[in-house]
Structures are given as structure tokens and as C-alpha cells.
Amino acid sequence: MVNADPRHTHGHLDFFRCVCGPRAVLTDPQAQAPYLEERRGRFSGTAMAVVLPGSTAEVAAVVQYAHAQGIAMVPQGGHTGLCGGAVPDASGRQIILNLRRMRDILSIDTLEGTVTVQAGCRLADLQQAVEAKGWYFPLSLASAGECQIGGNLATNAGGHNVLRYGNVRELCRGLEVVLADGRVWSDLSGLPKNNSGYDLKQLFIGSEGTLGVITTAVLRLVRQPRQQLVALVPVPDIATALRLFGAINDEMGEALTAFELMSDFSMMLVARHFPEVVASLPLNSAWSVLVELSRPGTAEDLLSSFSGALDRSIGRTEMNDAVVARDLVQGSRLWAIRNAIPDAQRREGPSIKHDISLPRGQIAGFISELYPLGIGDGVANRP
Ligand SMILES: Cc1cc2nc3c(=O)[nH]c(=O)nc-3n(C[C@H](O)[C@H](O)[C@H](O)COP(=O)(O)OP(=O)(O)OC[C@H]3O[C@@H](n4cnc5c(N)ncnc54)[C@H](O)[C@@H]3O)c2cc1C
């Protein structure tokens, strides 16, 4: 797209105000500030306006106008992305289209096990709403309190539960998208079986807003897990972590929900910046694994299968130091350690994020190559 001619800015702003309302078009630098800079301060830009549409029709009208006028647009959700994809350039001629006003949960279909939601709904709000009805939306990110469903879809977010439930691509049953010229493309039937042609929604998932603005989604829900076990297991090296992974997979693969490997460096950062989060935990091993298991059945069965897997894969000392949460509150305390890592890294200073996928068999070799180069300290890896 061509950037807008600055001489016409007033006319553009008048149009956006007319469509979305005067308070939904931010031009004041102070009001714009939170939308312009990535949270670690690594990427920043300027914008002609931050536009906050309140409906699909408003998004479509704004996009159609911007398309006709050659104004570049940056779709934005919760602005938690770490790659600068939601940040405008430095020209001041782009508009940010932030969907935070479009946050309604439109329906929860308990027969189908789906939720239809506007793209600006925060992930945590969606999770709470479906949990109140006995369902569970398994996308789980440390940024859940801020990121939006549209942003999750546009980045094909993975998160802690990717082992069990896949990326958000696998959780999406339907989308409504405003295309780059303002036309609305909609496939919100939510049917699990649809063999009627190309699965076009998949193009928009992971496209980082380059193909259109996601305005509504139908997402797949699962029943709330009946039994859940969360444990923090110290391990001396990656080979042991992989052995533990293999043993759990053999013993109870269907129950394995999350397996997060954390280095002593990242634990040290959490201890330094959030001492209350790690209080009283024995943190002297080179690596720690955070395991989450969930399945129907009794808590005793789950614990006994897990103990069997520990027994077959790690040493006696590590077993004694493993911390198994006794209830959901303790489980969320263990998760708080993992979730504090990004903020601890941010407080420590500049860091470079990478999200690398590898076959399990190559993880140990990859990390041992990176460490001597000083890269990879503090990485949270998932086998
Ligand atoms: C503490 C922390 C932990 C994180 N953990 C994870 C993790 O485990 N896994 C993971 O995958 N990511 C993780 N992230 C990164 C980030 O939270 C995710 O990428 C999230 O999905 C981004 O959502 P958002 O609403 O903040 O999107 P934004 O940051 O606002 O935007 C991200 C991209 O999506 C586009 N976009 C946003 N909304 C729309 C829309 N409605 N239509 C079209 N395009 C749109 C933007 O243009 C941009 O390109 C983490 C981030 C933080 C800060």
C-alpha cells in the first residue's frame, strides 16, 4: 500500500471519527503512546491515528476507506507480540487498527463444544467465561491477561499446552475477516466436518494481519480436565529431561499437557526479580522441568503413573527434590515461575526472543551448540 498524503490527514481523521465515533480515534501523543511501542522497547513507531472500531461493519468501513486512499494499516490486538508485527513504522502516516472494543463473547454452543467470540476479546476473559460453563479453552500463554483472540490467531500462537492441543490453528473452527479492500469474508459455521473446498481460514491464521483483519472466530472447546497434576522436577541435564519426557509419554502420553524445560539461568532471573515466586523451592539443579498432566480418573491414579515415570527416568536425589502440587492453587504457583520468566528477562535488560521448533532428538545437541556461543541462556524450551 502507498502511504497517505499528509495534506489530507484532517479529512482522513474526520472520516474515521464519523465511522467509529470521536473518542475511538486517538491522535493525542499521550493517548497513542501505549499503542506505539513494543513492551520491551525494542520496536517503536508513530501513527496518524489509533482507530478503535466497535464492530465488523466499522472495521470494514475504515479498511475500505484506507484502501481507497492508500493509507497503510497495522492491525493490533493486545500488543504483546514480541516481533514488532503490531508496531507501525516511523512515517506517522499509518493507522493502527486496535480491536480492543470488539470484545464480546457472542455465544457458547455446549452441544457443539464451541465458542463464537469477537477478535478483541482478551484470552483470559474468554477462558474465564467458558470455564464458568464447565468448558476449557486450552490455549495457554503467560500474556493471557492482555493478548486478544485476533492476535492469537494472527500469530498462530502455541503456548504451554501445544503438546496436547496443538497451536491455535487446531483450535479454530471458523473465522470472519475483513479483507484488505474492506470486503467481509465469513465462514462462521463452526462445523467440525467441512469438505466443501479450500479451507481458506487457515490462510489468515498465522498471517500476522497481512491478509486481512480478523474480526470474529469460532473456537473449539474441550471439557475441563477432571484430574490435573502439576510438578516441578529438577534434572541435571537435557538427556535426563528427555528420558523423563519419554517415560511420561510411554506411561501416560494421553495425559501429557505441558512439558517446559527451564534453565538454571532463567530460574536465577526469576529468583532475582520475583523472589516471592520461587520462595522456598530447591532451585540448585542445572535444569528444571515443569510438567502438567491431565485426564479423567482419580488423582491417586495420576500420581501413581507419574511416580512410575519418575522412577524409571531420573535419579533418587532429583526424585526427592521434585515438587508435586497438591491442588490447583499450588499448581498455579508452580506455573507462576514459568510465567515470570519473560518479565524477569525484561527487567534484567535487553533480550532477543526466538521461538524455535526442533525434532525432540535434536534438542540436546542444538542447545549444547548454542551455549558456548552465549546464546540460549534463559531459554524456556519445550521438547
Ligand atoms: C509474557 C509473554 C508470554 C508469551 N508467551 C507466548 C507463548 O507461549 N506462545 C506464543 O505463541 N506467544 C507468546 N507470546 C507472544 C504473544 O503474546 C502472542 O504472539 C499473542 O498471540 C499475540 O497476541 P496479541 O493480541 O497481543 O497480538 P499483537 O501483539 O497485538 O499482534 C501480533 C500480530 O498479529 C496481528 N494482529 C493482531 N490482531 C489482529 C487481528 N484482529 N487481525 C489480524 N491481525 C491481527 C498484528 O498485526 C501483529 O502482526 C508471549 C508474549 C508475552 C509478553
Side-chain angles (χ1 to χ4, degrees), residues 2 20 50 58 65-66 99 115 171 187 204 263 283 298 302 374 377:
V2 192
C20 302
V50 177
E58 289 182 13
Y65 178 86
L99 269 71
V115 56
L171 297 169
D187 173 11
F204 299 103
S263 68
L283 296 177
T298 67
L302 197 57
D377 274 353

Side-chain angles (χ1 to χ4, degrees), residues 39 75 77-81 85 141 143 147-148 151-152 154-155 157-159 208-209 212 214:
R39 54 188 278 143
H79 205 190
T80 65
L141 312 180
S143 53
C147 64
Q148 299 176 4
N152 299 150
T155 56
E208 295 265 352
I214 298 168

Side-chain angles (χ1 to χ4, degrees), residues 101-119:
R101 285 179 61 217
M102 294 176 59
R103 54 176 180 264
D104 288 349
I105 293 170
L106 302 174
S107 63
I108 297 176
D109 185 333
T110 51
L111 199 57
E112 206 61 69
T114 55
V115 56
T116 304
V117 61
Q118 286 188 310

Side-chain angles (χ1 to χ4, degrees), residues 85-107:
V87 178
D89 68 15
S91 67
R93 295 182 188 180
Q94 301 185 324
I95 58 167
I96 294 173
L97 214 54
N98 186 297
L99 269 71
R100 71 180 174 81
R101 285 179 61 217
M102 294 176 59
R103 54 176 180 264
D104 288 349
I105 293 170
L106 302 174
S107 63

